[in-house]
Amino acid sequence: GFMLEPSQGEAGVVVPDEGYLRQVRRLCTEYNVLMIADEVQTGIARTGKMLACDHEQVKPDILILGKSLSGGVYPISAVLCDDFIMDNITPGTHGSTYGGNPLACAVGIAALDVVLDEKLSERSENLGSVFRNSLLPLVDDIDAVQTVRGKGLFNAMVINETNGKNALDLCYELANEGILAKPTHGDIIRFSPPLVISEEQLNEGIEKITKAVYKLFT
């Protein structure tokens, strides 16, 4: 099998080039390789679609979900695939202490209903565009800001160390402004606000991020 995150999370919200997922799907189909999509971080409306693979209309053979599957209410994860794959696991070959937990499953179904009823995918896509478009001017104005990237409400800012100040220092400055974030790989700060964030709250966050960047790097 070939396993991938449609957009890499821990690596710092690395979004692949347009067409990458379609080419992976084509090659996996051509060479009879299972395409396994880890959407633990990107799934359930986070990137502006129900699944990040949906941006390229790609269906993986195996899909892994977690985190937001319960809306933060209850621990749950899931592996989805067609019967011809799943039936290779016969009774007795796999055990799980909490597998099939009925409460977790009920919570997961209710959370998915909320995502659909409140159109959180569309909300994520629209607010994510506002977030990136508002912060991208910093790339031209501040040498320390290398780029702002992402999809939906799954975004990151890459920081070049400048005058001894780095991404961690910016996180401390953000904390002073009331925004909690942490660096990954030393130079990247991820921003993944709740999908239910209001536009007013998002704009307030954008103002505080901008203020913190200018305060630290100018």
Side-chain angles (χ1 to χ4, degrees):
F2 180 79
M3 186 174 184
L4 77 162
E5 287 181 293
S7 289
Q8 292 182 327
E10 293 300 319
V13 190
V14 179
V15 180
D17 293 338
E18 176 70 24
Y20 173 78
L21 296 178
R22 286 193 297 271
Q23 289 300 318
V24 169
R25 175 67 278 176
R26 181 185 65 80
L27 289 170
C28 285
T29 300
E30 181 178 347
Y31 292 100
N32 195 29
V33 173
L34 293 176
M35 179 181 177
I36 306 167
D38 174 357
E39 295 233 28
V40 170
Q41 291 195 48
T42 59
I44 318 299
R46 172 52 59 186
T47 67
K49 299 288 185 183
M50 180 60 82
L51 300 173
C53 286
D54 292 342
H55 285 282
E56 297 195 23
Q57 296 83 48
V58 165
K59 180 184 177 183
D61 298 299
I62 299 176
L63 175 67
I64 305 169
L65 296 173
K67 294 186 183 289
S68 59
L69 183 55
S70 72
V73 174
Y74 200 83
I76 183 174
S77 60
V79 177
L80 289 74
C81 60
D82 289 333
D83 287 347
F84 80 94
I85 299 171
M86 190 69 77
D87 285 347
N88 285 284
I89 303 176
T90 56
T93 59
H94 177 70
S96 174
T97 302
Y98 295 106
N101 183 290
L103 176 58
C105 292
V107 170
I109 292 171
L112 290 173
D113 285 340
V114 170
V115 171
L116 294 172
D117 293 344
E118 299 189 11
K119 295 180 170 49
L120 294 187
S121 292
E122 294 87 340
R123 182 181 189 78
S124 175
E125 185 169 24
N126 293 335
L127 292 183
S129 294
V130 171
F131 183 85
R132 289 185 299 281
N133 290 337
S134 298
L135 293 178
L136 273 171
L138 292 174
V139 177
D140 294 325
D141 296 343
I142 305 294
D143 290 340
V145 181
Q146 179 178 325
T147 190
V148 177
R149 65 191 182 209
K151 280 189 176 181
L153 286 173
F154 194 49
N155 296 284
M157 179 181 289
V158 182
I159 300 296
N160 296 319
E161 184 169 340
T162 304
N163 297 326
K165 303 294 185 179
N166 56 27
L168 181 59
D169 295 307
L170 180 54
C171 287
Y172 288 140
E173 196 62 48
L174 288 171
N176 292 333
E177 294 292 333
I179 296 178
L180 298 180
K182 73 178 187 67
T184 181
H185 292 270
D187 63 343
I188 304 168
I189 303 174
R190 291 182 295 172
F191 297 100
S192 298
L195 300 181
V196 294
I197 191 172
S198 68
E199 188 164 0
E200 180 183 0
Q201 290 169 327
L202 185 75
N203 287 328
E204 180 182 354
I206 291 167
E207 290 176 7
K208 290 182 175 181
I209 293 169
T210 302
K211 177 182 176 182
V213 168
Y214 272 96
K215 183 176 180 180
L216 190 66
F217 295 114
T218 60

